[in-house]
Each structure stands twice: as structure tokens, then as C-alpha cells.
């Protein structure tokens, strides 16, 4: 096909459609044609719902050994489809599943997955974040093999669906059960969720800048003064300073309150994906170049141990 | 159980990174360096597995001379010995190139288990462990929080998105990439630091490992990120900035 193959993930339509939008951006830059592929029944949601101009062809990969996700199974199946189609570009949504199997798939072709791409520029050059968001890097693929990229959630906007007809081609890979070496169990929830941050209107979130668990009451006071829920970035929960259910980010909850006040949070992408949809974002951080300021509406570059108590006082005063 | 842990030295978290004159990498002069955080959790998991099941923990790290201090830190925490892949050109190798170095150093060791952090804090590619698994022909699992030895291999707890988890059973030898937060990290003891000085650190070069510097993906330039929003930075001392913020939130953003 020598075109662009966009991999869709069943049950993850939104980010799959964003990957499709990134594929369309590549169509504009390269003039190549676009097809999609997903593992699943041709009648399943991932094929039925559409976004943007429908691709002329969608490949539905089916095999009973693919009913449960395993990296071995997916690598094996996609390897066969890619060898058959011979695309120039393969575009994935950057999900935990993609992170689990796509690097291995790329290695099988002697290639490297350029992961977590946030923009595609002329060349094509693939832009991704470095140093926890403090820098960006432009990557270029060289050589003849297929170019593998994965697209960060929220980086491309899914296009509204257009009229058109897609031919769904079934593809059954050759595979036997000895290909799959791991036995995955069914997904389960962690400790019962008693806090629903998703419905909170005001959130005060605390990060590594707080330095010590003993300093948390200061932030709790601010949250209480505001009538806000308290939340945290991953390291705070990793340390056991706040329960895991208060974690915001890719491994925690996704929130979109009216006000998200980030205290001592640098703004690594894993955190940003969980809160950047907030209506108003305030960041307090001592480092004026911290990536959190890139998504903030209001910023205070200063010592949180001075700013937070002052803010608590100001809110109390305003409330009286 | 012989466990190899691949660790990376990265700029310290709070380091002010600056772009170098060529615009292709950061200016490394004067930077402070540290052990990559999720690699620290991988090391911790390895040390706990050894304490429960016996065996040996070997750390492998690639990089220039300075990487030696991070290797000594791992040895001080309890790793038994180390392999230092001595190379000054880590930045011009892509993920496959670096994984080739690591896999070549690991292969003759015939490990039962290879652990590494799930991603580095500098490049954040999050795939070195997975590529190493493919190069060594071993099964793998990613984003692992807990590892338990079973009669036939391993049972691991994998993190999924948005608060979900799953258990996976897999045979050994295997490769796991470790998520942060599964264990509490230990500090090196004084005795550990003393002992580390006498532990073996074997140095090998890329050419001794038979690995060339071929690249399929090239980092062409780095830049400061573009702002997604126009942020209003509020001036003044803490009290003044706090007062301005409350005004803005009430009357401009209207969220209070």
C-alpha cells in the first residue's frame, strides 16, 4: 500500500480518532493514502463509529487468540498485517496498551517507535516532549523501513464525521497458542473509590514541591478555605502521603473542575492529561519555567510555603 | 534467581536544563545527576525479590564516566555487582541502539529476570525494557507494581489506566518494566556505602559488545515548549500575588 496505516484501539474511540486526525495530518504532508486497522469484529464499535473523512479501507483483524489482549498476540498479528500491507507510516494512539506492545512490534522491523508525539511538522518531523515537559524535541525517521509513531492523548483534535463509505476487510493472522507466553487476568479496580474527584467543582492539587508529609496540613487549610477537594500528583500518592484515590493523571482520575489550583506540581505530561480540561488552572511553583505554567491561566512563581498561607488568608478575608 | 536491573543516570529533577549551542541537546556542564526514579523502584523490587528468594542482583548502566556514581549508589543500596557500558555517545543512539547495548551486556549473564524502570525522566520514551525483551527473545510485561515468584515463573500486578489493575502470570526468564510507587525505596546505609567500594564494576565498551551506532530515528533539535495558553503571571510578594489572584478568580475568571 505504501501509505499510512492508523491503528485503532477498541474501546478507546476518542484517542483512536485523535490518532486518525494525526494520520490525516500526515496525508496532507505526504500525499499518501490512509487506511485503518483494529483488532476486533467488523461489527464492533471501533469500525462502526467514524471520525473525519472515512478511510477507504479498514482492516478488521480477527482471531480467537486475540480476544484477550496480550503483547505477544498483538505483536504477532500486527506484524503479519504490516508485512502484507507494507505501509510507510504506522500511527498508534499512545495508550498503555500501545506502550506495552508497539515498541516490540517496531523492533521486529528493525525500527524505533517515536512515542507520545504531540505535533507533526514539515519533513515530516515528529515533535515530542523531553525532560518531563521542560523541552521539546524534533525527531526524524531515516532509512527505508516503516516509520512507527504514537500520538499523545489530546494533542490532535478528532475531526467531525464526514459522509463516505469504508470497505472493511477481514484479516485472519496465522497463529497458534504457543505464540502467547503470558496469562493475563481480568482487570480489577484498586481500593474502593470513595472520592469522586471527577464531580468536584474546585480542586487544590499538591505535588512534589510540598517536600514532606508534615507540610500537607497547610495545603489542606487552603482547600478547606476554598471548600475544595484535595488531590495530588503521583509522587505524593507513591509516598503514601495521600491515598491513591486522590491521584490525578494518566494513572489516576481525570478531572475538569471550574478551578484547578496546582501547588508545587511541575506539570509532567502524566499529570497534565488528567487535568488540562479544567476551566481555570492556577499554578504556584518556585520554578518559573515549570511546564505547569504552559497550561495555567494564572501563575505565581514563588515559594509555595509563603504563597499558600497568604492565599488561604486572602480567601478567608474575601469570604467575610 | 539472578536479576539484572537496567538503570539510567538522568539530570536531577530540579536541575535547570539549558539548550546547548548546537541546539541538539542540553548543555550538560555543571548539571547534577541522579538515578532515574522508576529505575530506583526497579532496583528496590529486585533487592526485595533477592531478600525473599535468594540469588544475585546485577545492575547494568550505559553512559560516560559520570555514570559510575549512580552505579555506586545502586551497589550501596545492595546490588551485588555491576556492568558499566562505557560510552560517550548515548545521546546519538536511538532507543533501539541503547537497547542493543544493554541486551548485548545482559545476554551472556543468562538472567532469570530483567527489570527496568518504565520510562526515563529525560527522554521519556518508555520502551527500553520492551525492546530489550524482544532482542533477548523473552516475554515481557510493563507498568508492574508487584512481583511474586511462583512455582512456574512469576505473578505480577500490572497497572492499567484510570485506577484499574490486572494480574499477569508469565514464565521466566522474563523482562518487566517497573512503575513507581509499588514499594518504599530504601536508603543506602553507611555500611552499604562502605561495602560498595569493594564490589565488582566491570567496564565494557560498545565495540567490545559488538554494537554499532546505527540510527533509524534521529533527534534533530530541541527547543523550549510553546505555551498552550497565555498565562497571566501575577507579580509582587506572596501576599500581593495572593490578593491579586483572589480578585482575578472572583471577577475575571468568575470561578469563586
Amino acid at each position: 500500500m505504501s501509505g499510512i496505516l492508523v491503528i485503532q484501539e477498541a474501546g478507546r474511540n476518542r484517542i483512536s480518532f485523535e490518532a486518525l486526525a494525526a494520520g490525516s495530518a500526515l496525508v496532507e504532508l505526504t500525499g499518501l493514502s490512509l487506511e485503518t486497522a483494529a483488532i476486533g469484529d467488523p461489527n464492533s464499535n471501533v469500525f462502526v463509529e467514524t471520525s473525519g473523512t472515512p478511510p477507504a479501507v479498514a482492516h478488521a483483524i480477527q482471531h480467537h487468540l486475540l480476544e484477550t489482549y496480550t503483547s505477544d498476540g498483538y505483536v504477532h498479528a500486527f506484524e503479519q498485517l504490516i508485512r502484507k500491507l507494507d505501509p510507510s507510516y504506522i500511527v498508534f494512539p499512545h495508550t498503555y496498551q500501545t506502550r506495552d506492545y508497539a515498541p516490540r512490534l517496531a523492533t521486529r522491523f528493525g525500527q524505533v517507535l517515536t512515542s507520545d508525539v504531540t505535533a507533526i511538522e514539515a519533513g515530516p518531523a515528529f515533535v515530542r516532549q523531553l525532560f518531563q515537559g521542560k523541552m521539546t524535541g524534533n525527531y526524524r525517521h531515516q532509512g527505508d523501513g516503516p516509520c512507527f509513531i504514537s500520538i499523545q492523548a489530546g494533542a490532535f483534535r478528532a475531526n467531525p464525521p464526514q459522509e463516505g463509505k469504508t470497505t472493511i476487510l477481514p484479516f485472519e493472522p496465522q497463529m497458534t497458542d504457543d505464540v502467547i507466553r503470558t496469562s493475563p487476568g481480568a482487570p480489577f479496580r484498586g481500593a474502593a473509590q470513595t472520592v469522586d474527584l471527577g464531580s468536584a467543582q474546585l480542586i487544590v492539587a499538591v505535588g512534589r514541591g510540598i517536600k514532606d508529609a508534615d507540610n500537607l496540613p497547610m495545603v489542606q487549610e487552603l482547600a478547606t478555605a476554598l471548600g475544595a477537594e484535595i488531590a495530588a500528583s503521583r509522587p505524593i500518592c507513591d509516598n503514601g502521603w495521600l491515598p491513591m484515590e486522590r491521584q490525578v493523571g494518566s494513572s489516576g482520575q481525570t478531572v475538569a473542575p471550574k478551578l484547578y489550583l496546582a501547588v508545587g506540581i511541575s506539570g509532567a505530561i502524566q499529570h497534565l492529561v488528567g487535568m488540562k480540561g479544567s476551566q481555570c488552572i492556577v499554578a504556584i511553583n518556585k520554578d518559573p519555567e515549570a511546564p505547569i505554567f504552559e497550561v495555567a491561566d494564572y501563575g505565581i512563581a514563588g515559594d509555595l510555603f509563603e504563597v499558600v498561607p497568604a492565599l488561604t488568608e486572602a480567601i478567608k478575608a474575601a469570604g467575610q | 534467581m539472578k536479576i539484572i536491573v537496567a538503570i539510567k543516570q538522568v539530570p536531577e529533577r530540579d536541575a535547570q536544563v539549558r539548550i546547548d549551542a548546537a541546539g541538539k541537546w542540553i548543555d550538560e556542564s555543571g548539571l547534577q545527576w541522579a538515578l532515574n526514579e522508576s529505575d530506583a523502584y526497579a532496583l528496590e523490587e529486585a533487592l526485595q525479590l533477592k531478600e525473599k528468594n535468594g540469588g544475585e542482583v546485577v545492575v547494568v548502566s550505559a553512559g560516560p564516566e559520570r555514570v559510575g556514581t549512580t552505579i555506586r549508589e545502586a551497589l550501596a543500596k545492595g546490588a551485588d555487582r555491576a556492568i558499566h557500558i562505557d560510552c560517550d555517545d548515548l545521546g546519538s543512539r536511538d532507543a533501539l541502539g541503547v537497547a542493543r547495548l544493554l541486551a548485548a551486556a545482559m545476554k551472556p549473564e543468562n538472567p532469570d529476570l530483567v527489570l527496568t524502570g518504565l520510562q526515563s525522566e529525560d527522554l521519556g520514551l518508555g520502551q527500553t525494557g520492551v525492546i530489550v525483551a524482544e532482542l533477548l527473545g523473552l516475554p515481557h510485561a510493563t507498568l508492574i507494581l508487584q512481583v511474586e515468584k511462583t512455582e512456574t515463573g512469576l505473578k505480577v500486578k500490572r497497572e492499567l489506566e484510570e485506577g484499574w489493575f490486572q494480574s499477569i502470570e508469565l514464565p521466566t526468564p522474563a523482562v518487566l518494566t517497573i512503575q513507581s510507587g509499588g514499594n518504599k525505596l530504601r536508603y543506602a546505609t553507611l555500611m552499604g556505602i562502605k561495602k560498595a567500594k569493594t564490589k565488582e564494576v566491570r567496564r565494557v565498551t560498545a565495540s567490545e559488545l559488538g554494537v554499532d551506532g546505527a540510527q533509524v530515528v534521529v533527534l534533530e533539535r530541541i527547543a523550549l515548549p510553546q505555551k498552550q495558553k497565555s498565562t497571566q503571571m501575577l507579580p509582587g510578594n506572596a501576599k500581593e500575588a495572593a490578593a491579586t489572584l483572589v480578585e482575578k478568580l472572583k471577577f475575571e475568571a468568575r470561578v469563586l
Side-chain angles (χ1 to χ4, degrees):
Chain A
M1 87 183 248
S2 183
I4 298 155
L5 183 67
V6 178
I7 310 297
Q8 313 278 82
E9 188 173 319
R12 301 298 305 273
N13 278 8
R14 182 175 174 163
I15 186 169
S16 291
F17 292 156
E18 290 170 0
L20 196 56
S24 302
L26 264 178
V27 169
E28 302 257 318
L29 282 172
T30 62
L32 295 171
S33 63
L34 184 150
E35 297 181 1
T36 64
I39 290 184
D41 189 276
N43 300 314
S44 66
N45 213 343
V46 68
F47 293 108
V48 173
E49 286 190 24
T50 59
S51 164
T53 310
V57 176
H59 303 270
I61 307 171
Q62 275 186 288
H63 197 286
H64 72 275
L65 290 171
L66 300 172
E67 280 163 15
T68 301
Y69 168 78
T70 59
S71 54
D72 282 339
Y74 273 44
V75 167
H76 196 79
F78 278 116
E79 182 188 1
Q80 289 179 33
L81 181 72
I82 292 166
R83 292 209 191 279
K84 182 185 161 200
L85 299 178
D86 193 25
S88 303
Y89 296 91
I90 302 151
V91 182
F92 300 83
H94 191 72
T95 60
Y96 273 27
Q97 187 168 293
T98 293
R99 291 164 71 168
D100 194 58
Y101 78 90
R104 188 159 197 149
L105 179 64
T107 306
R108 210 156 274 193
F109 289 84
Q111 295 297 320
V112 173
L113 171 74
T114 299
S115 54
D116 222 359
V117 167
T118 57
I120 301 174
E121 296 179 353
F126 302 106
V127 184
R128 57 186 303 282
Q129 295 178 317
L130 302 171
F131 300 98
Q132 308 270 307
K134 289 182 202 166
M135 299 275 171
T136 61
N138 277 41
Y139 286 77
R140 185 172 48 80
H141 174 255
Q142 59 183 20
D144 295 330
C147 171
F148 290 76
I149 62 166
S150 66
I151 304 299
Q152 184 174 97
F156 286 78
R157 191 179 291 270
N159 296 310
Q162 306 279 322
E163 287 292 316
K165 173 109 183 74
T166 300
T167 306
I168 298 176
L169 296 179
F171 177 79
E172 186 172 352
Q174 301 291 316
M175 59 196 296
T176 48
D177 56 9
D178 58 336
V179 167
I180 295 167
R181 294 167 288 186
T182 58
S183 319
F188 60 91
R189 271 257 178 222
Q193 298 259 337
T194 53
V195 187
D196 180 15
L197 294 177
S199 62
Q201 291 292 301
L202 307 170
I203 291 178
V204 173
V206 57
R208 212 184 275 266
I210 195 70
K211 290 197 173 77
D212 196 290
D214 293 344
N215 299 324
L216 277 176
M218 180 183 80
V219 182
Q220 182 65 61
E221 270 180 53
L222 172 60
T224 306
L226 275 167
E229 284 285 354
I230 195 159
S233 64
R234 180 161 190 120
I236 300 302
C237 302
D238 277 352
N239 286 336
W241 296 350
L242 280 174
M244 280 290 177
E245 61 185 359
R246 294 206 176 257
Q247 185 195 328
V248 167
S250 56
S251 51
Q253 299 196 48
T254 301
V255 300
K258 274 199 308 188
L259 172 65
Y260 190 91
L261 209 159
V263 175
I265 291 177
S266 67
I269 180 60
Q270 295 87 344
H271 186 75
L272 298 187
V273 296
M275 48 63 79
K276 65 184 176 189
S278 305
Q279 187 186 328
C280 176
I281 298 171
V282 176
I284 300 169
N285 201 294
K286 70 174 189 304
D287 177 5
E289 288 171 33
I292 189 76
F293 289 121
E294 283 151 38
V295 299
D297 299 281
Y298 302 103
I300 299 176
D303 182 352
L304 71 91
F305 295 100
E306 291 175 16
V307 176
V308 169
L311 188 55
T312 306
E313 287 311 310
I315 286 161
K316 281 181 182 165
Q320 279 164 5
Chain B
M1 197 186 232
K2 187 195 235 181
I3 306 170
I4 297 189
V5 188
I7 61 174
K8 185 177 189 182
Q9 187 185 55
V10 295
E12 205 165 59
R13 178 170 295 273
D14 290 337
Q16 297 286 334
V17 287
R18 301 266 171 257
I19 301 169
D20 71 8
K24 285 181 175 279
W25 190 236
I26 54 163
D27 180 0
E28 293 192 352
S29 60
L31 269 188
Q32 299 288 310
W33 300 85
L35 171 59
N36 186 55
E37 185 170 52
S38 60
D39 296 347
Y41 282 94
L43 175 64
E44 182 60 42
E45 187 63 54
L47 295 172
Q48 293 198 14
L49 281 169
K50 182 194 154 186
E51 283 157 8
K52 274 182 225 141
N53 307 299
E56 188 185 21
V57 174
V58 183
V59 295
V60 178
S61 193
E65 185 80 32
R66 61 173 155 77
V67 171
T69 56
T70 297
I71 288 175
R72 286 291 166 203
E73 184 189 330
L75 293 172
K77 285 184 173 181
D80 297 290
R81 60 188 170 87
I83 302 169
H84 180 173
I85 303 165
D86 205 348
C87 63
D88 291 328
D89 61 352
L90 210 56
S92 67
R93 288 173 190 269
D94 58 25
L96 180 58
V98 174
R100 278 200 181 113
L101 287 174
L102 296 169
M106 289 174 187
K107 196 165 180 144
E109 295 278 344
N110 286 314
D112 299 299
L113 181 58
V114 174
L115 301 182
T116 189
L118 97 120
Q119 71 181 25
S120 63
E121 288 160 41
D122 51 359
L123 295 176
L125 289 162
Q127 42 183 297
T128 307
V130 180
I131 301 172
V132 165
E134 174 67 12
L135 295 175
L136 295 175
L138 302 179
H140 80 268
T142 57
L143 288 143
I144 301 306
L145 285 160
Q146 282 166 19
V147 186
E148 200 184 308
K149 192 174 177 296
T150 63
E151 278 182 18
T152 52
L154 301 168
K155 188 179 174 191
V156 300
K157 181 183 177 186
R158 173 168 190 246
E159 182 180 290
L160 304 172
E161 279 139 313
E162 304 201 331
W164 291 81
F165 302 92
Q166 75 179 146
S167 291
I168 298 178
E169 292 191 45
L170 68 170
T172 50
V175 179
L176 304 175
T177 75
I178 303 295
Q179 167 68 296
S180 63
N183 290 304
K184 202 167 159 38
L185 297 177
R186 72 188 64 195
Y187 292 99
T189 61
L190 272 176
M191 180 62 89
I193 293 165
K194 209 170 153 192
K195 270 192 186 162
K197 291 178 182 149
T198 63
K199 288 178 178 172
E200 178 195 307
V201 180
R202 188 161 58 85
R203 291 173 78 132
V204 288
T205 62
S207 59
E208 283 164 355
L209 292 170
V211 177
D212 63 20
Q215 277 179 286
V216 283
V217 169
V218 183
L219 175 56
E220 287 195 310
R221 64 182 177 88
I222 66 169
L224 289 170
Q226 287 173 346
K227 279 193 179 292
Q228 295 172 17
K229 280 186 180 176
S230 55
T231 309
Q232 288 190 42
M233 295 303 284
L234 307 180
N237 63 30
K239 209 174 162 187
E240 290 157 4
T244 314
L245 178 60
V246 172
E247 289 287 302
K248 296 262 182 197
L249 292 179
K250 273 189 124 162
F251 302 110
E252 197 173 87
R254 296 169 185 271
V255 291
L256 287 187

